[in-house]
Amino acid sequence: MTAEPTPPRRSVGRPSRLSREQVVAAALDLLNEQGLDGFSVAKLGRRLNASGMSLYTYFSSRDALLEAVADEVFKSYVPPRADQDWRSYVIDWLERVAAHFQRYRVALSVIAWEEHLSTGWLRVWLPLVRTLAAVQPDAARLRAALNWFSHAAIGLINARVRGPQAIAALEAHVVSAFSQQDQDLLRVLYQEAPDPDQDWMLRFGFENLVAGLEQLLVGDAAHRPKKPGRRGQRK
């Protein structure tokens, strides 16, 4: 009787080696599920059935890992054509960024973290900066305009990507705290009025962002918002 061949022994010990691509893909999934606040290298290690410390073989730090995630998220972004009026360029840029963020919601988490601005996002941002620098070369006005624009634009896009917070019903004990007139107004706003057209609102916001940029970049300085004076300052 011929003995059956002995199957090869499986090696016991370390699991098969991960790749950088696997680590980045798992980090993307974790960020999508838990956001930046819920992200940690230790959690990522558990997801990959590896120790958190072992992931530093692939990335030297948490920042380096998040940089790789940002590069992955933003690498498919396609910038607008440069051969167009700067106002049209800004609208085009806003629409492309909004579409990219709706496709990759994790992008909002990897623009910046802990005062660290990602290289991936800067590759998206700098073409717009160059376009607007050609409109207004004065560094102080350019910086003020871009500071306002970046906060307003990301806030507007974030609201669109995250979606409006739907209120299914107003609880009676909440409504009863207000006058009858205010109760009627709350019901009209939250229960009876149709949902606003989100795409129209986004476009309206973009057009007003361009109008604000135009005022800050090339508008009459006399009509620009003035800094509030210090309290008690002599006139």
Side-chain angles (χ1 to χ4, degrees):
M1 187 174 181
T2 308
E4 293 184 4
T6 305
R9 296 179 60 185
R10 293 183 178 180
S11 59
V12 178
R14 294 183 180 178
S16 60
R17 185 177 177 84
L18 294 167
S19 67
R20 284 174 61 93
E21 291 76 15
Q22 287 174 302
V23 176
V24 169
L28 273 168
D29 288 342
L30 184 58
L31 284 164
N32 267 317
E33 292 172 13
Q34 302 189 22
L36 191 59
D37 290 341
F39 178 85
S40 72
V41 175
K43 285 183 181 178
L44 182 60
R46 288 194 291 273
R47 176 165 295 218
L48 291 166
N49 195 27
S51 69
M53 290 302 297
S54 69
L55 300 185
Y56 291 108
T57 304
Y58 308 93
F59 300 97
S60 59
S61 65
R62 179 175 180 269
D63 284 348
L65 172 56
L66 290 173
E67 277 282 5
V69 172
D71 285 344
E72 181 66 23
V73 168
F74 291 118
K75 71 179 183 182
S76 61
Y77 169 79
V78 180
R81 291 183 1 258
D83 59 339
Q84 54 183 321
D85 171 76
W86 73 265
R87 299 166 188 82
S88 300
Y89 184 96
V90 173
I91 291 287
D92 197 357
W93 184 90
L94 285 164
E95 290 176 343
R96 288 168 183 262
V97 168
H100 195 80
F101 282 16
Q102 286 182 292
R103 192 176 303 117
Y104 304 101
R105 297 195 173 199
V106 71
L108 288 161
S109 299
V110 291
I111 291 176
W113 58 89
E114 297 166 5
E115 300 183 356
H116 179 95
L117 202 57
S118 73
T119 305
W121 169 247
L122 285 175
R123 293 192 183 100
V124 174
W125 177 242
L126 278 172
L128 177 71
V129 174
R130 288 195 296 268
T131 298
L132 297 182
V135 176
Q136 178 51 264
D138 181 79
R141 289 191 69 169
L142 178 65
R143 181 174 182 179
L146 285 170
N147 185 54
W148 170 80
F149 175 83
S150 63
H151 286 84
I154 296 302
L156 185 63
I157 292 171
N158 183 40
R160 179 67 182 92
V161 170
R162 302 298 186 193
Q165 295 295 317
I167 298 176
L170 290 170
E171 296 178 359
H173 73 276
V174 173
V175 176
S176 63
F178 300 94
S179 68
Q180 187 60 51
Q181 183 180 7
D182 285 345
Q183 289 182 37
D184 293 341
L185 182 59
L186 287 170
R187 290 191 183 95
V188 167
L189 289 175
Y190 295 110
Q191 293 182 334
E192 298 174 10
D195 291 336
D197 183 336
Q198 296 297 322
D199 291 332
W200 178 88
M201 291 179 66
L202 190 65
R203 179 74 186 190
F204 177 80
F206 288 170
E207 290 172 353
N208 279 275
L209 283 173
V210 172
L213 265 182
E214 186 164 19
Q215 179 63 37
L216 291 171
L217 290 172
V218 297
D220 184 353
H223 294 92
R224 295 171 64 214
K226 299 183 183 300
K227 294 181 180 179
R230 293 182 181 177
R231 186 172 295 177
Q233 186 177 16
R234 291 183 180 179
K235 294 184 178 178

